[in-house]
Amino acid sequence: ASAKNFCSKVGYPCLVRPSYVLSGAAMNVAHSDEDLDAYLGTAVAVSKEYPVVISKFIDNAKEIEVDAVARNGRVVACVISEHVENAGVHSGDATIVSPAQDLTDATLEGVRDIMFAIAQALFISGPFNMQLIAKDDELKVIECNVRASRSFPFVSKALDLALIPMATRIFMGVTEGVPTTLACGQAGWVGVKVAQFSFNRLPGSDPTVGVDMMSTGEVACFGENRTEAYLKALLSTGFKVPGTGKSILLSIGTYRHKGDFLPCVKLLVQMGYKLAGSKGTADYYSENGFQIEQLDLPVDSEGKLQLNLKDSDFGLVINIPAKSRFRRPASYNSQGYLTRTMAVLHSVPLITDIKCAKIFVEALHKYGATPIVRPSVDCRTASRTITLPGFIDCHVHVREPGATHKEDWTSCTAAALAGGITMICAMPNTNPSVVDAESMKTVSDIASAKALCDYGLYVGATMQNMSTAKKCVDAVALCMELDHPTTESLQINDLTVWMSHFETWPSSLPIVVRAESKTLAAVLMMAMMYDRAIHVCALSRREEIMVVREAKRRGAKVTCGVAPHHLFLSEDNVDALKGLGSVRPRLATQKDLDALWENMDIIDVFSSHHAPHTKEEKLSENPPPGFPGLETMLPLLLTAVSEGKLTIEDLILRIHTNPRRIFLLPEQPDTYVEIDLDRKWEIPESLPQTKCGWTPFAGRKVVGTVSRVVLRGELVYLDGQVLADPGMGCEVGMLPESSTPEHSHHRHSGNVRQHFQKSDPVLSPGGSKRISAKALSAQS
C-alpha cells in the first residue's frame, strides 16, 4: 500500500530497485499499479533481507557519470562523462562519451558543486563514482559509489589522467604524484564507449536496453569528435555498415522521435539508401516529401504473410520502441519485438535507440563506412606517449654512390626512420662527389628510386667549381669543408677561393662550413664581411662556442650545430672504444663537453653526423673517422630530457623548427613521430637498420624510443619494423605544397624567412594541441 501511495503521489513511471544486486538485476520501470505489483514480487525474491527502493523515473533526461579521486574529502581529480541514451539505460549498456560534449555550463557547474559536497560530506579518500540525472539544468543524484567503477580505465585513457595511480598513492599515504589542484585531464580527442551484446546466442530475448544490464562486453575508441569515435567503437563490436544501394527499414515509435530523426532521413536519402518503413513511419516521412516504401511488420513469430528479413535486401533496421516497457510478457508478440528478434536472427544490423541512430547516421554521412585511422589517436598505450612533428637531420653521409658496403640510400633512410627522422640532408662526399649539376642529378636519381624518407642534397665546394656550383639551385646549401675534408676533391686551402664562393653562391641559400678553431674564426669574419648566412656543422670545443657566441652578439648571420657524440662522449671514452673512437672533429675534453651543455642557448641544431664505416675498416691500421648516429641520436636526447638536461621543446626547436628555418625546407604534410617516453632499453652492439654493424654507444642505457613514424599520411615505421617502400622518399623540391599559408613552400623566393618566424607547434596525440615541456614532465 505504501508503495502504491508513493507512486500515486509522484506519478508513474517509477523505478523499482532491489538492494545489493549486481548489473541492475530485477530492476524495472513500472508504468502502472499492475506493473508495480509484478515488479515488487520479483525484486523481493531477489533481495529478501533488504528493502526495495522505489523512486520517480524521470523521462527524457540525460544521465551523467562522474569518476573522481579525493583525498581527505577534497577532490583532486575528476572526469565528467555523459550517456548518449536518455537516463534509464544501465551504464554497462549505455554509450558513454568522455569528456562530456553536450552539457551546459550551468549543468557542469552544478555537477562539480555536488561532487565537491559529497566528497566532503563522506570524507572520501580514494576513488568514487557518481551518477546523476540532468533535465533543464536541474540535477538529481542517482547514486554515489565509494569505489572505482567500470568506467575508470576508459576515462583515464580518454583524458590522459592516471586516476588509479593517484588513488593508490592516496591509500598509501604518498603525496608525490597526487595533484595539489583539481586535475581534469586534457586530450586532443574524444572517447566513446559502446556496449557489446550477444543477443544472437539468446534466442527470443528482446534486443533492447534498459535499467538492467544486458551487455556481455564493452569497446572504447577515440576520435576527433564523438561521431568519429562512436562509429569506430560501433564497428569494433562487429556492426556492419549497410552498403550503398541497400535498403534501410525504419520503425520509429513516437511522433516526437519521428520528428527528431527527420534530418537523418534526409542524409540517408542523400547517401543513396532506399528506405522502407512501418505504416506510421512511412506515412510520416512520405508526408514530409521523402520516398519510402510502406511495409507490414511481422504479425507472428513465424513471420507468415509479412516482411521476411532473411530473404530481403535490408542492410540495417532502425527500430525505436514507443515506450521502455517492452519486456513485459504481453509485448513479446508485438510487431516491434518480432521485427527486432528477426533482425538478430538473420544478422541484420539493428539500432534501437533514437539518439544512437542519429549519431550513427551523422557519422556515416561524414566518414563513410571506413572512418579515418589516426594512429596517434586510435592506438593508445599504458606508457607516456607524445606525437611530435617529423624530425630533420641536416648532416648525414649516405655513402652512395661509391661505398654501398658501408651504407646505401635504402639502408640509410631506413635507419633515419627508425631514429624518428623523416627528412635528411645528404653530405656531398660520395664517389664521385656532388659538385655540379651532373653529379647532383646522378645522386638525385639514385635517391628517388631508393630513399624511404624525404631528403635534400648539398653541393660541395671545390677549388674550381665556383661557376658550376652556383647553378645547383635545387641544393639545400653549399658545403665548404675547410678542416678535415672528407675527400681530397672537396679540400679548399686558399682564402681567395673561399671569397669566390661567398661571392657567387646564391644569396638566398645558406653556406654550410666544416671548420674548427682558428679556421672557424676566419670564416666567421668572412661571413660578416660578405653579410652572408653560414651554418657551422659541428662545435666541439669551448673556444669555438665562445667565438660563435661573440659573433652572434655582434650580429653575424651564423647558426651552429652539435653532434650527439660530442654531447655524450669525451676523449676519456676513446680507450673504451678500442680503436673505434676516430671521429672529426675529435672527441674533446670533459671541460669542452660541459661547455656545450652550459651554452646550449646558442646551439641551433642537433644533427647525427651519421658517418658509417664497417667495423673492419674502423679497426684497421688507418681507420676512417666517423660514427653512425641516425638510430641513436633521438634516444640519447630523450634520455637527456628524462634527466632534466633538455626539454621536449628543445628537441623540436633543434631537430625540426630550426633546420627548416635555416635551410628553407618545406613542410612535410601529415608527417609526425610518436615517441614512447618511458621505455628503458640498452643500445645493442649492432643497430638493426644501418649496414655498418656497430655503434660507439653500445651498452648505454637510454630512456625513450620511437614507436611509430607517419610520413605524408603513410605509416612507414612501427615498433621496430620499417614499412616504407624504396622510392617513397621525396626530394625537398618535389614535396607537395602545404595547404597552410604559414608554411607554404617558397624555397627560392626572397620572402622565405618570414614563413618561419613562428615555432612549429608540439603536436598532441590529437595532432593540434601544444604540449609544454613542463606539462609533459608533470604527467605520470
Side-chain angles (χ1 to χ4, degrees):
S2 61
K4 290 184 178 179
N5 289 338
F6 172 81
C7 293
S8 177
K9 180 179 178 181
V10 299
Y12 285 107
C14 288
L15 181 65
V16 180
R17 308 175 64 193
S19 299
Y20 304 112
V21 294
L22 294 176
S23 304
M27 188 184 299
N28 286 286
V29 179
H31 291 262
S32 64
D33 287 348
E34 292 78 11
D35 287 348
L36 184 64
D37 289 335
Y39 296 156
L40 279 173
T42 303
V44 170
V46 170
S47 183
K48 297 179 180 179
E49 299 180 10
Y50 300 99
V52 174
V53 178
I54 302 175
S55 56
K56 170 65 179 172
F57 184 85
I58 302 174
D59 282 317
N60 300 315
K62 177 174 282 292
E63 186 163 338
I64 301 168
E65 296 256 359
V66 176
D67 292 289
V69 176
R71 186 190 191 108
N72 297 331
R74 184 177 65 86
V75 179
V76 296
C78 73
V79 176
I80 300 175
S81 309
E82 63 183 345
H83 291 204
V84 170
E85 299 89 349
N86 282 336
V89 176
H90 192 280
S91 60
D93 291 354
T95 305
I96 298 180
V97 180
S98 185
Q101 302 292 298
D102 286 341
L103 302 185
T104 66
D105 291 341
T107 296
L108 281 171
E109 185 176 351
V111 170
R112 292 192 185 101
D113 289 344
I114 293 171
M115 174 183 66
F116 294 147
I118 288 179
Q120 186 175 21
L122 300 179
F123 203 66
I124 297 174
S125 282
F128 67 99
N129 167 263
M130 187 169 60
Q131 296 165 19
L132 307 95
I133 283 181
K135 188 171 184 179
D136 300 327
D137 290 331
E138 183 180 349
L139 289 163
K140 296 183 184 297
V141 177
I142 299 173
E143 63 183 10
C144 177
N145 298 298
V146 187
R147 56 166 171 76
S149 69
R150 67 163 46 82
S151 52
F152 257 67
F154 165 55
V155 301
S156 294
K157 285 234 186 287
L159 274 297
D160 262 353
L161 193 63
L163 295 176
I164 292 302
M166 289 181 200
T168 304
R169 290 184 176 96
I170 290 171
F171 288 152
M172 301 301 294
V174 177
T175 57
E176 183 181 355
V178 177
T180 55
T181 57
L182 181 64
C184 297
Q186 60 177 355
W189 60 82
V190 176
V192 172
K193 185 274 293 182
V194 169
Q196 170 82 58
F197 297 96
S198 302
F199 292 119
N200 59 332
R201 298 189 178 186
L202 300 169
S205 62
D206 193 350
T208 55
V209 293
V211 292
D212 52 335
M213 183 172 166
M214 302 291 286
S215 62
T216 53
E218 295 167 298
V219 176
C221 287
F222 304 94
E224 287 193 334
N225 51 59
R226 71 171 184 171
T227 53
E228 178 185 329
Y230 175 77
L231 183 58
K232 290 175 179 177
L234 191 64
L235 292 175
S236 298
T237 66
F239 189 93
K240 303 296 183 184
V241 173
T244 304
K246 284 276 190 176
S247 296
I248 295 177
L249 177 61
L250 304 178
S251 179
I252 299 176
T254 67
Y255 186 83
R256 176 182 174 181
H257 286 165
K258 289 182 176 74
D260 289 344
F261 199 67
L262 194 59
C264 294
V265 172
K266 183 178 181 180
L267 293 180
L268 290 172
V269 171
Q270 289 176 358
M271 288 185 281
Y273 290 108
K274 302 172 184 176
L275 301 181
S278 60
K279 185 178 186 306
T281 301
D283 287 346
Y284 179 86
Y285 292 123
S286 294
E287 291 174 2
N288 281 275
F290 295 102
Q291 185 174 349
I292 179 170
E293 181 184 0
Q294 180 179 316
L295 295 176
D296 292 327
L297 296 187
V299 294
D300 59 41
S301 58
E302 297 299 323
K304 296 177 181 178
L305 302 177
Q306 45 77 41
L307 169 71
N308 189 337
L309 289 177
K310 180 179 180 180
D311 300 324
S312 70
D313 195 37
F314 286 102
L316 173 65
V317 172
I318 298 177
N319 183 284
I320 313 298
K323 292 183 180 180
S324 59
R325 53 192 227 171
F326 27 76
R327 290 211 182 100
R328 297 175 62 197
S331 71
Y332 290 162
N333 289 319
S334 70
Q335 290 182 333
Y337 165 78
L338 294 171
T339 303
R340 293 189 294 272
T341 53
M342 186 177 292
V344 171
L345 179 64
H346 298 300
S347 300
V348 179
L350 172 69
I351 297 177
T352 62
D353 182 85
I354 187 64
K355 290 190 173 181
C356 290
K358 289 169 65 177
I359 293 181
F360 171 74
V361 174
E362 291 167 7
L364 186 61
H365 180 259
K366 187 172 183 178
Y367 299 106
T370 309
I372 300 169
V373 176
R374 308 178 194 275
S376 61
V377 172
D378 295 322
C379 306
R380 309 299 302 142
T381 176
S383 58
R384 291 183 304 155
T385 59
I386 54 170
T387 303
L388 304 175
F391 288 137
I392 300 167
D393 191 338
C394 57
H395 194 126
V396 176
H397 298 271
V398 178
R399 305 300 191 203
E400 185 178 15
T404 54
H405 65 288
K406 304 182 184 191
E407 203 80 286
D408 58 37
W409 271 95
T410 298
S411 65
C412 184
T413 49
L417 292 175
I421 306 298
T422 58
M423 182 186 292
I424 64 170
C425 296
M427 300 299 284
N429 62 320
T430 49
N431 187 14
S433 300
V434 179
V435 294
D436 54 27
E438 182 180 355
S439 55
M440 188 171 215
K441 184 179 185 305
T442 298
V443 175
S444 179
D445 288 346
I446 296 172
S448 67
K450 300 181 70 173
L452 307 183
C453 73
D454 296 338
Y455 58 91
L457 304 177
Y458 291 119
V459 62
T462 71
M463 293 288 289
Q464 300 87 21
N465 73 336
M466 288 75 77
S467 60
T468 55
K470 69 179 182 180
K471 297 177 182 178
C472 298
V473 293
D474 289 331
V476 171
L478 176 72
C479 181
M480 297 176 61
E481 300 195 357
L482 309 180
D483 280 324
H484 309 298
T486 50
T487 66
E488 186 176 345
S489 63
L490 297 177
Q491 185 168 3
I492 303 177
N493 51 19
D494 188 330
L495 283 175
T496 61
V497 176
W498 296 14
M499 296 168 64
S500 296
H501 279 297
F502 271 73
E503 290 169 356
T504 57
W505 182 248
S507 60
S508 61
L509 298 178
I511 296 175
V512 172
V513 297
R514 290 173 56 113
E516 300 177 44
S517 192
K518 295 178 177 61
T519 308
L520 173 60
V523 78
L524 285 172
M525 183 185 72
M526 189 169 291
M528 295 178 75
M529 288 169 50
Y530 284 93
D531 193 28
R532 291 297 305 253
I534 67 168
H535 176 73
V536 183
C537 285
L539 299 183
S540 61
R541 284 166 171 74
R542 183 181 181 279
E543 64 176 9
E544 298 164 0
I545 299 166
M546 295 299 105
V547 169
V548 171
R549 178 177 287 282
E550 183 61 20
K552 286 191 173 192
R553 190 187 71 80
R554 292 175 179 269
K557 297 177 180 177
V558 57
T559 55
C560 59
V562 67
H565 49 262
H566 289 125
L567 287 173
F568 298 98
L569 297 173
S570 71
E571 63 183 14
D572 297 338
N573 301 105
V574 172
D575 290 342
L577 289 172
K578 299 178 180 178
L580 300 172
S582 176
V583 68
R584 299 294 183 272
R586 291 178 174 85
L587 296 180
T589 67
Q590 185 63 44
K591 288 184 178 179
D592 290 320
L593 187 152
D594 292 340
L596 287 175
W597 287 101
E598 292 164 4
N599 293 274
M600 190 58 66
D601 60 305
I602 70 159
I603 304 296
D604 300 287
V605 168
F606 295 142
S607 53
S608 70
H609 288 232
H610 181 73
H613 302 283
T614 66
K615 194 170 186 178
E616 292 74 19
E617 290 172 328
K618 293 293 288 185
L619 294 175
S620 67
E621 291 184 4
N622 186 25
F627 295 156
L630 278 168
E631 293 171 85
T632 53
M633 176 171 69
L634 193 54
L636 291 166
L637 295 173
L638 288 170
T639 303
V641 171
S642 72
E643 295 170 348
K645 294 180 179 179
L646 295 171
T647 66
I648 291 295
E649 289 186 343
D650 287 333
L651 304 193
I652 297 200
L653 181 67
R654 292 172 174 83
I655 330 179
H656 176 77
T657 306
N658 282 348
R660 283 193 60 207
R661 174 180 59 84
I662 294 166
F663 298 104
L664 315 181
L665 299 172
E667 181 185 22
Q668 294 175 284
D670 300 318
T671 297
Y672 56 87
V673 179
E674 188 173 300
I675 304 293
D676 182 338
L677 291 173
D678 294 328
R679 185 189 165 197
K680 298 178 180 179
W681 57 290
E682 184 177 296
I683 296 176
E685 291 285 338
S686 178
L687 294 162
Q689 303 302 332
T690 181
K691 284 186 175 184
C692 67
W694 69 281
T695 168
F697 298 104
R700 184 177 289 248
K701 291 179 171 57
V702 289
V703 180
T705 188
V706 177
S707 58
R708 178 188 312 268
V709 179
V710 173
L711 176 65
R712 286 177 272 108
E714 296 289 336
L715 181 64
V716 291
Y717 178 85
L718 178 64
D719 295 334
Q721 184 178 2
V722 176
L723 305 176
D725 295 321
M728 185 174 176
C730 281
E731 193 166 353
V732 292
M734 302 298 292
L735 282 171
E737 292 189 8
S738 169
S739 59
T740 306
E742 180 183 340
H743 298 297
S744 295
H745 177 205
H746 299 296
R747 179 159 163 59
H748 301 301
S749 73
N751 297 322
V752 173
R753 296 195 183 277
Q754 70 182 5
H755 296 286
F756 300 93
Q757 294 304 308
K758 294 182 180 180
S759 293
D760 285 13
V762 182
L763 299 181
S764 75
S768 61
K769 194 168 184 178
R770 188 173 179 82
I771 304 175
S772 69
K774 192 172 185 181
L776 281 169
S777 63
Q779 290 179 0
S780 59

